[in-house]
Amino acid sequence: YQSGALLMDPFCGSGTTLAEGQKRGLKTLGVDLNPIACLIARVKTAPLSETALQSAQEVSASYAKIKAKIPLIPNLKHWFKDPIQKDLAQLMQAIENAPKPDHDFLKLAVSSIIVRVSNQDSDTRYAAVDKPVKAGDVPALFEKACTKLHSALSERDYELHTSEVLQCDLLALEASKFKNRVGIFITSPPYPNAYEYWLYHKYRMWWLGFDPLAVKAREIGA
């Protein structure tokens, strides 16, 4: 491994390899097709905005006053109760009104609660069940998620060396997209026919404005 070379994870997922590389003083590069994975990895490896918690508080205080259209998402009524749809739509609009440097932090907090407030049984069981979720659960859980995320990011006690996350299809990636040479690859590749990441995360993607069908078309593990 040469000094200044990159540690690269070509299937970086939630960025564990990148964070561990940062702890060891390395420049890191992660690639993933899944936008939710890239969102997690970016937040995990980026400096924490000084206004993140303040923006979260402002979003919580303003979301109920915002008029927002419920997005056109397939089978939405099957997977989300009407009050939950309304709360999520208002929350996402409030985030769009927040300072841009805080968007990733706020969206990751929302992403972490979407399955919990949906009718989806769990992250590993794609079945609709009747959950005891109700109006008001979304903002309450969002506030808790922001506090928990802020606490975790604040506890990082190491220098945040340069870390880049590329959301793209690895098979189409050109080396010209990144500057430094790669000194080492550390990765855990997808598991074909074992776990469909896009399927279990597709409603997160839709609510956060991503296109899960585009991910499905290129996902190696699908």
Side-chain angles (χ1 to χ4, degrees):
Y1 182 86
Q2 296 178 348
S3 177
L6 293 168
L7 180 160
M8 181 177 180
D9 186 344
F11 301 99
C12 73
S14 60
T16 299
T17 299
L18 308 185
E20 291 300 322
Q22 278 188 322
K23 290 180 184 179
R24 289 155 178 79
L26 306 177
K27 293 181 179 179
T28 59
L29 171 68
V31 179
D32 208 286
L33 182 67
N34 189 311
I36 302 300
C38 290
L39 176 64
I40 299 171
R42 284 198 308 272
V43 173
K44 188 181 288 187
T45 56
L48 177 60
S49 166
E50 293 181 0
T51 60
L53 210 52
Q54 179 183 341
S55 290
Q57 293 167 351
E58 290 173 354
V59 165
S60 295
S62 66
Y63 97 99
K65 305 171 188 174
I66 293 175
K67 292 183 178 180
K69 289 184 177 180
I70 295 172
L72 296 175
I73 298 175
N75 299 320
L76 194 60
K77 282 187 172 293
H78 179 69
W79 294 104
F80 294 87
K81 296 177 180 177
D82 288 348
I84 303 300
Q85 294 178 35
K86 181 175 179 289
D87 279 352
L88 283 173
Q90 290 175 307
L91 194 62
M92 290 308 303
Q93 184 58 57
I95 289 174
E96 289 303 314
N97 298 339
K100 286 196 178 297
D102 297 329
H103 280 196
D104 276 356
F105 175 90
L106 298 169
K107 287 180 178 180
L108 182 53
V110 175
S111 176
S112 72
I113 70 169
I114 285 179
V115 170
R116 188 170 174 182
V117 300
S118 75
N119 299 329
Q120 184 175 321
D121 192 18
S122 71
D123 269 317
T124 56
R125 186 166 186 268
Y126 189 68
V129 297
D130 186 19
K131 291 183 184 178
V133 292
K134 58 188 182 304
D137 285 350
V138 170
L141 290 172
F142 170 72
E143 290 176 21
K144 288 182 180 179
C146 286
T147 301
K148 183 178 179 180
L149 180 57
H150 190 273
S151 176
L153 295 175
S154 298
E155 290 175 359
R156 294 176 296 180
D157 58 356
Y158 50 88
E159 185 179 348
L160 297 176
H161 291 273
T162 302
S163 183
E164 184 177 9
V165 180
L166 300 178
Q167 182 189 324
C168 64
D169 180 358
L170 178 68
L171 301 180
L173 178 64
E174 298 179 3
S176 60
K177 293 291 183 181
F178 45 94
K179 299 175 183 178
N180 299 57
R181 294 174 65 86
V182 175
I184 183 170
F185 290 96
I186 299 178
T187 194
S188 174
Y191 312 110
N193 299 319
Y195 189 90
E196 291 193 86
Y197 292 90
W198 84 271
L199 177 66
Y200 291 101
H201 298 295
K202 67 180 181 178
Y203 282 99
R204 285 189 172 103
M205 294 187 213
W206 262 311
W207 276 112
L208 268 61
F210 300 119
D211 182 0
L213 298 182
V215 175
K216 176 185 179 184
R218 302 297 297 173
E219 187 176 275
I220 294 174

